Amino acid sequence: MLVRLQSAIGRDDLIGQMVLLPEPKKPFSQKDHKAESVSLIVGYDASPNSHTALDIAFWIAHQTRLATNVQVTVQAVYVVENNYSSQYPGVLSFAKPVPTLECPVSEVSHSFTPVLTPAKLRGISSCLQENPTTHLQQADIILWQARSLAEEWEGSFKSHLRFGCVGTELTKVVESEAADVLFLGCKSVNHPIIQTLGANFPCGVLGIPNRID
């Protein structure tokens, strides 16, 4: 996928810039298995860097579908972090502290209504007493932006709203969705969030290039 991207924009240095964590080695029995579908996860919060990561993911998904006829799904994940002063500025910036919960949002493309059951809303209501709708409205706006971009690409898309630690929640989504690649708005392997994910992360992690002329 990255070789195709390099060729399309006339660059030969993107792989070295974008691969922040390599794809884990697969057992020998899985090496020749032909994928019937591909899942691309994007850590998204509407910041410029995360928007670039989402753009790249949609482009790669589109080109992969054209070249292979494989079903490719792009999934945006927005995490409301426990720590108000985010550890990951410029990549994922989050709101006030909330409990560790998870709420899938918009499980199918073309859906713009968050799926939040009354039980889930009661679970976070105690943390939203000052303004019960602010955090959910902010999250819905952010994920709406991602869904709107997905509409332009006419591809398969899902979005997730998660509550808790960024690294932990991204790992949970990657594992539950059997993701092939995680895209983040990072430019360096030394970024704190990459250090948090660790060397044994279940899929390859891609960042964004330092510069595209």
Side-chain angles (χ1 to χ4, degrees), residues 20-25 171 189 193-205:
L20 303 180
L21 290 177
E23 181 181 10
K25 293 183 179 180
T171 301
V189 68
I193 194 172
I194 302 301
Q195 303 299 315
T196 299
L197 296 178
N200 296 319
F201 197 69
C203 72
V205 178

Side-chain angles (χ1 to χ4, degrees), residues 73-143:
T73 301
V74 176
Q75 305 187 47
V77 181
Y78 175 59
V79 182
V80 180
E81 192 181 15
N82 286 331
N83 186 2
Y84 178 60
S85 57
S86 176
Q87 304 175 59
Y88 316 119
V91 179
L92 298 169
S93 303
F94 307 103
K96 294 182 179 180
V98 294
T100 301
L101 299 168
E102 57 185 81
C103 299
V105 176
S106 180
E107 290 297 334
V108 295
S109 59
H110 308 296
S111 172
F112 292 82
T113 303
V115 181
L116 294 173
T117 65
K120 290 174 181 176
L121 287 174
R122 285 195 297 271
I124 61 174
S125 62
S126 62
C127 299
L128 305 178
Q129 290 178 356
E130 294 181 4
N131 191 338
T133 60
T134 297
H135 300 285
L136 296 181
Q137 287 176 340
Q138 178 187 10
D140 190 52
I141 290 171
I142 288 172
L143 291 176

